Amino acid sequence: MEQIGFLPPKAAVLARRDEIVGDLLDLLPEGCLVHETRELVPFETDAFVSYRRVPLAVALPETTAQVAAVMKYCHRYGIPVVPRGAGTSLAGGAIPQEDAVVIGLSKMSRILDIDFANRTATVQAGVTNLAISDAVSPDGYFYAPDPSSQLACTIGGNIGMNSGGAHCLKYGVTTNNLLGVKMVLVDGTVIELGGKALDAPGLDLLGIVCGSEGQLGIVTEATVRLIAKPEGARPVLFGFDSSEEAGACVADIIGAGIIPVAIEFMDRPAIAICEAFAGAGYPDDVEALLIVEVEGSETEMDDMLRAIIEIARRHGVKVVKESQSATQAALIWKGRKSAFGATGRIADYICMDGTVPLSQLPHVLRGTAEIIERHGLRVANVFHAGDGNMHPLILFNANDPEDAARAEQAGNEILKLCVDAGGCLTGEHGVGIEKRDLMRHQYAEVDLNQQMAVRAAFDPQWILNPSKVFPLEGRPAA
Amino acid sequence: MSVIHDPLSEEATSRIIRAAVAASSPLEIRGGGTRTLSAGGAGRDILSSASLSGIVAYNPAEMTMTAKSGTPLDDIEAALSECRQMLSFEPLDVRALLGTGGIPTIGGVFATNASGPRRFVAGAARDSLLGVRFVNGSGEIVKAGGRVMKNVTGLDLTKLMAGSFGTLAFMTEVTFRLLPVPETALTVVISDLNDAQAAAAMATAMSMSVEVSGAAHLPESVRGRFLGGRLPGGAATVLRLEGLSASVSVRAEKLTAAMASFGPVGTLDPADTAQLWREIRDVHAFADGTARPVWRISVAPTAGHQLVAALRLETGVDAFYDWQGGLVWLRMESDPDAELVRRYIKALGGGHATLLRASAGVMAATQVTQPQGEAIEALNARIREKFDPAGIFAGNVATGARY
């Protein structure tokens, strides 16, 4: 099976390993450097577990100044640096390499400031996504982006990947909810971009940093936007006889000028897997299931749900389950939210993240089924239908290298199908190493060169997370 | 005499830029000509988007549109209104404020990140921009982003292009997201609050689950300039609610009850609401046909009124507030007092000020955009160099017009 490559480790760096560890020990307080081989193993991969590389050392700084000191040192000696939040990347964004120092932000997990009058929270980058909402929830606020891993994933990682979630149809993704960052540049310089004001002067550096996968610098603090919680939220569940009908229903809901807060889609295999795990009461005789959630006052939710159900009926909906209570609502969501975990119990899987224009959903679903069948695999489709962000879970057996290779191959073909349908390789998980070698399918050489040139404006030596995002061949000379 | 280049295609644009590089002849980028991007010194050749016009694709069910950069904003909005959709960020029209002519174009909207009242809840132009095609300073035709809502594939160059004021590249095509036009809208007006009370009232409104989509404070000195003087009372603090009719009336009731503790409360009907927020968007109060300096200041919402109070003690100013108080439109009596304005912004927690209007002489003598720290300016310079190594677009800066 053809493996995704990493940059070859720099021999000069490996040769100086002990010296580098000694220097880093001097730069950091006690207990802030991991360097024993045995202790480095937990850092060898992230949630893209098929690939592993044990790093040279892992720095766990407690302050921005310590991040800057480590960064400055690594810059001076040309040592690659791989930033790490909680290590939940599905694309291998946090997988290190043998000659790299990992800078992990797990110790920088304090909430620094909550300002309700200005509706902002300023936090250290190692704070988890959910911790922000938990901290402001008693006062009636929340932080909107809600990736599935929100219990574990950090805001620093969210900024690195420009993470989304189920509710971004209404509230946007990380970049739309981020007001400012403090970050360490490759040479150790500390800068602040944005703040509590809604916009910043000059070029939109915050916009380019968000989603840059740790290639432009290391974010150590972030100021994010808080939003007043809606009065209520209520999902409705629809079962359809075909994916086409479900897809057409989604397009008509959006086309009718209704923006639900979430529209989630599951196909028959996904329904079966989730139902077996969560007992959510999903129908077992439909081909496609939609969960549509609306927010607002009781009146508003009644109005919107009535309109949405009417649209669903026009598309021949077979099952309609309205939630009559908070318990029923939670149950409807429980099945969907356990999709990845439940799938993991029955097989190994890789999760794709291509996004397509809504009108292309039926076409891409059909194409996905064909690709999967051709490779003799199984797939369960679970995705954010409102914004066209697909998550086919390709099931395979990790103990069978040929099966694993087939799964990877099928995944690549599905992503190419998404791009050819006018979409993109990744909607919220990031490129990492997983989709790196497909970048040329989405972008022409001149497009990639422009991106790499901007990257080089931040990191001329390419030491920040260097094996990621851009194909290893054809990079500008450092 | 300066030449006006008016290319019909990306390829022609590329040839013009390559020729300009070869001749070391800088180019001023022009959209619809509603403001100038020139730092000074006329005489540069102009690269215009006027002939790159037309909607390329519009699929209402996907809530996205692709248009060539020179497409007049009016054409875009006409097409959108047929399908009851809109640009969520309410692009402002600077012509009345600046005393300029020209035709706003969609490329100009994104190049200047022109965003109005809904920006503080729905995002700015940059948040709606999904993809862009541009020709860089080397004449290369580049695409960035795409036409889907969620896209994290590679570096987000679209964000860099938004608000870059023609300093990086010449945009040829933009793809952006849309929102449905709300079924109805009304405005809750709280009368007679001073600036600090208004800030507290707006913060309270934003803490409620009523989805306020516009929050502005119009002090007594400017109140008469809006709605032809029909706003009640002295100062007017205005809060907009939009959505389905039944829902808007329920929310209005709730908001009115909460605001009653601050002052007398009234409401404006949909027609007055539409006019009022258009006037707030376009800085109607200071569209006075003069060259008195006007600053656009962005700070934390609760800092806006403190800034104005501090400045009042030192110089003659008039002001009103949008974005819950975080966007301050500040008109100076005479001198722009750039140093003073920026010193207080810094003291109040940071933000930035852009001088949008002043006489030509004052503009030329003033640092119109906020200077940033050395490290950030160095980074900006390196990024510009990556788009425009020959410095063909270097003369373009974010300014308004000169009288």
Side-chain angles (χ1 to χ4, degrees), chain A residues 15-26:
Chain A
R16 286 188 57 238
R17 184 183 185 285
D18 293 346
E19 203 182 323
I20 292 168
V21 167
D23 290 343
L24 291 174
L25 283 169
D26 288 344

Side-chain angles (χ1 to χ4, degrees), chain B residues 177-220:
Chain B
R177 69 169 297 180
L178 309 164
L179 277 185
V181 175
E183 188 178 289
T184 191
L186 58 76
T187 302
V188 170
V189 186
I190 308 112
S191 300
D192 304 329
L193 305 187
N194 66 32
D195 292 5
Q197 291 165 332
M202 288 190 285
T204 301
M206 295 311 297
S207 75
M208 299 172 62
S209 323
V210 292
E211 299 201 33
V212 170
S213 75
H217 177 61
L218 315 172
E220 188 160 12

